[in-house]
């Protein structure tokens, strides 16, 4: 089993099932430090979180795991280079923000911002307003020196890189995938356009029914596992080999279907066009140039292919820098890293009709474009999102970026949005009033 499919793979099944048995453990009780996970020399057997056990992403162990992927799985570095970081400025206003109140979706009871952090099992929270950090808190496994799994926010990095290559004329969104990656010509991806892959409107036969042992997700997980294949295994080996086996189902461009394999196909596309691994391209175009404080890293399959769909781990403030790049349309620290039309193209969003067919009840009226989630609310907010509560939330009207790392017991953000989205709006409105 390949653990890194997380909530959009086998671990959704594992984490949901185990979380149900531990639903009495709140954020304080499930804190990995309080539980004593991986503490001691050596840790007691009942406190170990190790391989090859396949439950290290089950709750509450996941609250330790999200900060320690490279201790469990092979990774590739996203280098920040050897120059000095460009430090972010501070204008802290934490007490006032903690006291803000809002009403969660579907509730008649108000909640404070501070209460919302625990309710959503927050590990790290960063708020940037007008270019300065106004709020920064760490919990659970994370501190300012640590890195945390970004999960599907990795997809948004791949989408951003693809948009940069398009703006430079190196990638055509209307090109057929088969014209760039001939190895995918006989797969369902071959007849799709790059844009359809980027917006996840491809017609792919790909099942994520965790109760079915023959579902495609299990085949994908076995293929992508970085560990030795069992004796007699004859299936695909690695992400790229699996992608070549995907069959068509439905028509490309007909509807939005959130399927991680689209991002791994996009990773192959941008690597083929740029001549660089996703890790190398992310380092060259973003990490080395944005004043990052820390290297990031991405998990890889058994052949060293980076997991473009969800393998990134990074520091909280460095993802804040990503948010600033988006907010400032490609500029940071007085330098332009990519053309402003990159962000403009992402912000225009995708088809709301296609998106509505997917049934995201907490994101009604939204869309999905270039691996980013568009809310189309009154502030034109948009986000990178990942299972278990990860987000980079960009609010252009409020000149605000929010970055949250979390380890919510279950994977789907639909469980977290009813608190998170009204909370983010409350902070945005407070900051706007303070201008």
């Amino acid at each position: 089993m390949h653990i890194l499919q997380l909530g959009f793979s086998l671990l959704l099944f594992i984490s949901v099932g185990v979380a149900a048995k531990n639903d009495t453990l709140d954020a304080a009780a499930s804190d990995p430090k309080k539980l004593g996970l991986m503490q001691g020399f050596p840790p007691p057997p009942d406190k170990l979180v190790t391989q090859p056990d396949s439950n290290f992403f089950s709750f509450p162990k996941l609250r330790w795991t999200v900060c320690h992927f490279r201790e469990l799985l092979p990774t590739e570095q996203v280098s920040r280079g050897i120059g000095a970081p460009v430090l972010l400025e501070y204008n802290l206003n934490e007490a006032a923000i903690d006291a803000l109140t809002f009403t969660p979706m579907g509730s008649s009871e108000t909640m404070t911002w501070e209460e919302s952090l625990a309710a959503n099992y927050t590990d790290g929270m960063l708020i940037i307003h007008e270019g300065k950090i106004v709020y920064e808190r760490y919990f659970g496994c994370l501190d300012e020196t640590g890195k945390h799994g970004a999960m599907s926010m990795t997809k948004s990095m791949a989408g951003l890189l693809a948009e940069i290559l398009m703006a430079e004329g190196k990638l055509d969104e209307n090109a057929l995938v088969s014209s760039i990656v001939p190895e995918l010509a006989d797969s369902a991806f071959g007849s799709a356009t790059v844009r359809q892959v980027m917006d996840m409107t491809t017609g792919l036969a790909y099942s994520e029914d965790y109760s079915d042992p023959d579902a495609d997700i299990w085949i994908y997980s076995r293929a992508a596992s970085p560990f030795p294949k069992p004796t007699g295994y004859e299936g695909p080996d690695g992400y790229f080999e699996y992608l070549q086996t995907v069959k068509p189902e439905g028509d490309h461009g007909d509807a939005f279907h959130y399927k991680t394999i689209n991002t791994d196909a996009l990773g192959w596309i941008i690597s083929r066009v740029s001549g660089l691994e996703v890790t190398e391209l992310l380092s060259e175009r973003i990490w080395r140039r944005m004043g990052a404080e820390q290297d990031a890293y991405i998990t890889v399959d058994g052949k060293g292919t980076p997991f473009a769909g969800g393998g990134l781990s990074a520091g909280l403030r460095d993802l804040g820098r990503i948010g600033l790049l988006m907010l400032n349309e490609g500029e940071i620290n007085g330098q332009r890293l990519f053309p402003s039309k990159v962000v403009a193209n992402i912000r225009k969003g995708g088809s709301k009709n296609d998106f509505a067919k997917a049934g995201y009840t907490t994101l009604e009226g939204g869309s999905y474009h270039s691996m980013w989630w568009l809310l189309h609310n009154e502030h034109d907010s948009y986000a990178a999102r990942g299972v278990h509560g990860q987000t980079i939330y960009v609010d252009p009207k409020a000149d605000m970026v929010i970055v949250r790392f979390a380890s919510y017991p279950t994977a789907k953000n639909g469980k977290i949005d009813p608190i998170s989205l009204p909370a983010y709006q409350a902070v945005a409105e407070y900051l706007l009033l303070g201008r």
Side-chain angles (χ1 to χ4, degrees), residues 102-105 111-113 115-122 125 362-363 375 377 385-386 388-391 393 400 402 404-406 408 412-428:
F102 63 93
T103 303
M105 297 178 188
M111 176 180 282
T112 67
W113 171 266
E115 290 170 340
S116 76
L117 301 182
N120 283 341
Y121 293 75
T122 301
M125 176 61 72
T362 59
L363 298 173
L375 278 69
N377 61 12
R385 289 160 60 91
H388 298 282
Q390 323 317 317
T391 195
Y393 184 93
M400 178 188 80
I402 294 177
R404 179 185 63 193
F405 285 137
Y408 194 80
K412 291 185 177 180
N413 282 314
K415 299 284 188 180
I416 308 171
D417 286 343
I419 290 176
S420 299
L421 297 181
Y424 297 164
Q425 186 67 21
V427 174

Side-chain angles (χ1 to χ4, degrees), residues 387-403:
V387 291
H388 298 282
Q390 323 317 317
T391 195
I392 302 171
Y393 184 93
V394 183
D395 184 324
K397 183 176 179 179
D399 199 359
M400 178 188 80
V401 171
I402 294 177
V403 182

Side-chain angles (χ1 to χ4, degrees), residues 343-366:
V343 175
N345 195 37
I346 291 171
R347 283 185 59 183
K348 75 180 183 183
S351 168
K352 294 182 182 180
N353 289 333
D354 288 350
F355 186 82
K357 296 174 185 178
Y360 288 91
T361 58
T362 59
L363 298 173
E364 290 183 0

Side-chain angles (χ1 to χ4, degrees), residues 272-292:
R272 185 61 59 85
V273 167
S274 68
L276 297 171
E277 292 270 31
V278 170
T279 45
E280 295 170 329
L281 188 62
L282 187 57
S283 170
E284 179 184 283
R285 296 306 184 89
I286 305 294
W287 239 257
R288 290 175 181 267
R289 302 176 62 201
M290 70 176 184

Side-chain angles (χ1 to χ4, degrees), residues 35 233 277:
L35 292 175
Y233 177 80
E277 292 270 31

Side-chain angles (χ1 to χ4, degrees), residues 26-352:
D26 60 15
S30 62
D31 186 309
K33 295 176 183 175
K34 183 171 184 178
L35 292 175
L37 296 178
M38 294 301 287
Q39 295 180 24
F41 308 97
D46 64 333
K47 303 298 182 182
L48 289 171
V49 185
T50 62
Q51 282 281 31
D53 296 338
S54 62
N55 69 342
F56 63 74
F57 215 82
S58 62
F59 183 82
K61 287 183 178 180
L62 73 90
R63 302 213 64 205
W64 180 88
T65 297
V66 290
C67 294
H68 298 275
F69 278 123
R70 63 180 173 182
E71 294 166 44
L72 299 163
L73 294 156
T75 63
E76 277 190 11
Q77 180 186 39
V78 179
S79 174
R80 60 167 296 277
I82 59 174
V86 179
L87 300 181
L88 297 171
E89 296 182 53
Y90 282 80
N91 184 24
L92 292 176
N93 193 15
E94 294 174 335
I97 293 174
D98 276 338
L100 292 176
T101 60
F102 63 93
T103 303
M105 297 178 188
S107 175
S108 60
E109 302 292 327
T110 61
M111 176 180 282
T112 67
W113 171 266
E114 187 172 31
E115 290 170 340
S116 76
L117 301 182
N120 283 341
Y121 293 75
T122 301
D123 297 324
M125 176 61 72
L126 185 76
I127 305 174
I128 301 174
H129 176 56
E130 296 181 340
K132 296 181 179 180
I133 295 173
V134 297
Y135 192 97
E136 183 176 9
R137 299 280 299 276
Y138 298 90
F139 307 90
C141 65
L142 191 65
D143 60 33
E144 68 173 355
T145 67
K147 301 179 182 71
H148 192 287
M151 307 347 173
S152 286
M153 293 197 294
T154 315
K155 292 179 172 68
S156 299
M157 302 305 102
L160 174 59
L161 292 173
E163 284 285 355
I164 292 171
L165 293 173
M166 283 167 37
E168 295 173 348
K170 298 176 181 177
L171 179 62
D172 179 1
E173 66 179 351
N174 297 312
L176 292 180
V177 171
S178 58
S179 70
I180 301 171
V181 185
E183 295 93 329
L184 290 174
D186 295 331
S187 76
F189 289 105
S191 58
T193 66
V194 171
R195 171 52 60 195
Q196 288 164 343
V197 170
M198 291 175 68
D199 290 357
M200 295 205 189
T201 58
T202 46
L204 310 176
Y206 180 78
S207 167
E208 295 192 9
D209 181 359
Y210 305 102
S211 63
D212 179 4
D214 297 320
D216 300 290
I217 183 58
W218 301 106
I219 302 171
Y220 188 45
S221 298
R222 288 191 290 270
S225 172
F227 303 108
K229 300 294 188 284
T231 301
Y233 177 80
E234 296 181 351
D237 185 7
Y239 294 114
F240 291 170
E241 280 194 18
Y242 177 83
L243 296 176
Q244 295 173 67
T245 71
V246 177
K247 303 300 182 185
E249 182 177 87
D251 297 324
H252 297 314
D254 190 44
F256 169 66
H257 304 285
Y258 186 79
K259 296 180 179 181
T260 295
I261 55 175
N262 282 291
T263 317
D264 291 315
L266 183 61
W268 198 350
I269 290 167
I270 61 180
S271 290
R272 185 61 59 85
V273 167
S274 68
L276 297 171
E277 292 270 31
V278 170
T279 45
E280 295 170 329
L281 188 62
L282 187 57
S283 170
E284 179 184 283
R285 296 306 184 89
I286 305 294
W287 239 257
R288 290 175 181 267
R289 302 176 62 201
M290 70 176 184
E293 297 176 32
Q294 302 182 76
D295 294 333
Y297 59 88
I298 297 181
T299 57
V300 297
D301 67 11
K303 294 183 174 180
T305 302
F307 180 26
L312 178 71
S313 287
L316 185 69
R317 290 192 291 261
D318 284 337
L319 289 192
R321 290 174 169 87
I322 295 291
L324 282 174
L325 270 171
M326 300 302 291
L327 183 66
N328 297 325
E329 300 180 350
E331 289 190 1
I332 192 168
N333 307 321
Q335 297 192 23
R336 176 162 294 282
L337 272 59
F338 49 80
S340 61
K341 65 181 179 181
V342 167
V343 175
N345 195 37
I346 291 171
R347 283 185 59 183
K348 75 180 183 183
S351 168
K352 294 182 182 180

